[in-house]
Amino acid sequence: GKEVLYQDAVEILVTKGYYEAVREHKLEPVDNPKVDFDGEIEEGKPFVFQAEVEVLPEVELGAYKEVKAEKEQPVVTDEEVEAELKAVQQRHAELVASDKQILEKGDFAVIDFEGYLNQKAFPGGAAQGYTIEVGAGRFIPGFEDGLIGMAPEEERELNLTFPEDYHQKELAGQEVVFKVKLHEIKTKELPDLDDEFAKSLGEYETIDDFKEAQRLRLQEYKEKEAQRKFEDEVIKKVVEESKVQLSDTLVDRELEHLIHHLEHDLEARGLKFEEYLQQTGQTLEKMRAELRPQAEQRVKTDLVLSAITKAEGITVSEDELKERVQYLLQFYPPAAKEEVLKGKNLDFIGRVQSSLEREKTVKLIVDLAAGKSAGAPAATADEKEEEVKAE
């Protein structure tokens, strides 16, 4: 009937008219519009509708070109280099059998163990020929200390209590008994920090060459950290000096984004979001309340940086966009890559363009704060890697 045709016509006309109005008035909607009609929809009569939509809030920029900040000048100390050498030495240590007859803290014990709850073995509480570092604190409290003083082939029972916040709810706070047998005592044998050790690590001829390489690596790391902190401080000051009325819609959307990323990170570690809430004693409402200030700050930062991008007329050339897209696509599966190359994933292109514009904007205000003349930025390998993670 005609009603069906009217409905189709309305959808076509509303979509066309709404987006024409958005373009004409240069609006930046942040949500779907609320649409109302004037009068009845009849054949041969004018069709009139009103669309109400929330738009991006206006930003009153502060004197962002005059912001100044102090950048740390990092120095690598001899103590830090020595600590790095010892860490490498520890990573290349070997466990060797010991003729010790008494197990001490710091030793490695090869043990069999089985845990009992209410005189019944519980799942996941047993292992054979397991090597444990005594005193490393990787088992529940009391387990490792209970092994101290044991002799090879000795058997011992440990009466312990699982922590109240233990991740397995059926064991949390429960009193258990572990039956343990010590098979062997091992100790860690460290390599000598000499030229031979340096050669075994690859491209070094002497231990001094290796030390210098570690010093340079630490210096590079510290300088990158100093630059990151400097950029964060500049952005923070620029945002603080700007005024913007935050939108609940944008903040709520960013809040969902933060929670989604947390869920994703937890899944990568094999933990469900609901389990995490239980273990931390939180509710979703409480988490939202705790994350809201962070979401508000992120939204305000995005709005201020976008306003600077427009004020400065910052744009991205086709070549710059093409180069970054090609770089990022090497990390994507073939199907997703093909979708982008065929122009079926315009959202991806839009995100890359926005990311490049933001890089240029940040570089502009950071260079101004550092007293440099602003120029087009070239993203570092680290920045590109971070962008891959974000995508």
Side-chain angles (χ1 to χ4, degrees):
K2 287 187 177 181
E3 289 76 12
V4 177
L5 298 178
Y6 286 164
Q7 184 62 39
D8 289 345
V10 165
E11 290 180 6
I12 293 170
L13 291 171
V14 166
T15 301
K16 181 173 181 292
Y18 170 70
Y19 284 109
E20 283 180 353
V22 166
R23 285 193 293 272
E24 179 185 348
H25 296 282
K26 298 179 180 179
L27 303 179
E28 294 182 275
V30 299
D31 207 352
N32 293 324
K34 176 185 175 184
V35 178
D36 289 319
F37 305 111
D38 274 358
E40 296 291 327
I41 301 170
E42 295 183 43
E43 182 179 357
K45 290 189 177 182
F47 173 67
V48 180
F49 73 93
Q50 290 84 35
E52 181 181 341
V53 66
E54 182 180 344
V55 297
L56 284 177
E58 292 185 8
V59 178
E60 184 181 332
L61 292 172
Y64 63 89
K65 293 183 179 182
E66 299 173 15
V67 165
K68 300 297 178 186
E70 289 295 323
K71 182 179 177 181
E72 180 187 350
Q73 301 300 321
V75 175
V76 176
T77 65
D78 291 341
E79 290 76 15
E80 288 173 322
V81 174
E82 289 300 322
E84 190 65 22
L85 290 179
K86 289 180 179 178
V88 174
Q89 187 184 34
Q90 286 286 340
R91 289 198 295 271
H92 288 80
E94 294 183 359
L95 290 182
V96 296
S98 172
D99 56 3
K100 294 176 66 173
Q101 293 302 303
I102 297 296
L103 185 66
E104 297 177 311
K105 188 173 183 178
D107 292 339
F108 289 79
V110 181
I111 59 174
D112 296 340
F113 65 88
E114 186 163 20
Y116 293 85
L117 174 63
N118 298 326
Q119 299 182 344
K120 292 183 180 179
F122 56 84
Q128 304 290 317
Y130 188 89
T131 301
I132 177 174
E133 183 180 2
V134 180
R138 294 190 175 91
F139 271 55
I140 66 170
F143 188 95
E144 294 169 22
D145 288 342
L147 303 179
I148 295 174
M150 289 184 72
E153 301 308 318
E154 180 183 342
E155 297 183 14
R156 185 177 288 186
E157 289 189 2
L158 307 177
N159 296 291
L160 304 173
T161 302
F162 274 93
E164 293 290 343
D165 59 352
Y166 193 66
H167 65 275
Q168 288 182 248
K169 291 188 293 182
E170 61 274 14
L171 293 175
Q174 296 292 329
E175 294 181 358
V176 295
V177 175
F178 278 99
K179 294 182 179 180
V180 184
K181 181 176 182 179
L182 174 63
H183 288 296
E184 189 179 6
I185 299 174
K186 290 186 175 183
T187 55
K188 187 182 285 187
E189 189 174 89
L190 298 174
D192 293 329
L193 291 175
D194 54 17
D195 293 347
E196 290 303 314
F197 177 65
K199 289 177 181 178
S200 71
L201 297 175
E203 66 274 20
Y204 312 104
E205 288 296 323
T206 66
I207 194 64
D208 288 336
D209 292 340
F210 181 66
K211 282 183 179 181
E212 184 59 24
Q214 296 309 300
R215 184 182 296 277
L216 291 174
R217 187 183 64 79
L218 286 171
Q219 184 68 33
E220 183 180 1
Y221 172 78
K222 281 192 167 190
E223 287 176 357
K224 284 181 178 178
E225 278 296 292
Q227 179 65 21
R228 182 187 63 78
K229 290 178 181 177
F230 178 65
E231 290 181 3
D232 288 347
E233 183 64 21
V234 171
I235 292 171
K236 182 181 177 182
K237 287 186 175 183
V238 167
V239 172
E240 284 176 350
E241 292 199 4
S242 302
K243 296 179 181 178
V244 55
Q245 186 66 41
L246 292 181
S247 153
D248 286 338
T249 302
L250 292 174
V251 174
D252 289 340
R253 187 180 297 168
E254 183 62 30
L255 203 51
E256 292 304 316
H257 183 71
L258 289 172
I259 292 173
H260 173 74
H261 269 276
L262 175 59
E263 288 180 314
H264 182 75
D265 291 341
L266 291 171
E267 285 176 7
R269 293 183 296 184
L271 188 63
K272 292 183 178 180
F273 184 64
E274 293 76 14
E275 293 175 350
Y276 173 79
L277 290 177
Q278 290 176 355
Q279 290 178 21
T280 56
Q282 289 196 91
T283 62
L284 185 56
E285 291 71 24
K286 185 179 177 182
M287 177 176 287
R288 286 177 187 275
E290 290 179 352
L291 289 176
R292 194 168 189 83
Q294 182 182 347
E296 290 175 349
Q297 184 63 27
R298 286 167 67 104
V299 169
K300 186 176 181 181
T301 300
D302 285 341
L303 291 171
V304 169
L305 290 178
S306 294
I308 295 174
T309 301
K310 290 178 185 176
E312 294 292 332
I314 293 173
T315 58
V316 174
S317 70
E318 289 187 14
D319 287 343
E320 289 173 322
L321 184 59
K322 183 178 179 181
E323 181 184 352
R324 182 61 61 86
V325 167
Q326 288 178 340
Y327 172 81
L328 292 173
L329 285 181
Q330 66 181 312
F331 302 100
Y332 280 71
K337 182 177 181 180
E338 191 69 19
E339 215 176 45
V340 173
L341 293 176
K342 288 184 176 180
K344 294 181 180 179
N345 192 342
L346 296 180
D347 284 346
F348 173 82
I349 303 296
R351 290 196 301 271
V352 175
Q353 181 171 340
S354 296
S355 178
L356 280 168
E357 288 173 350
R358 177 158 180 159
E359 283 179 20
K360 287 187 172 186
T361 303
V362 169
K363 186 175 190 303
L364 170 75
I365 60 176
V366 168
D367 283 351
L368 289 170
K372 300 178 183 177
S373 59
T380 64
D382 286 344
E383 289 171 336
K384 291 180 179 179
E385 184 180 348
E386 287 301 317
E387 185 172 353
V388 172
K389 292 177 182 177
E391 292 293 339

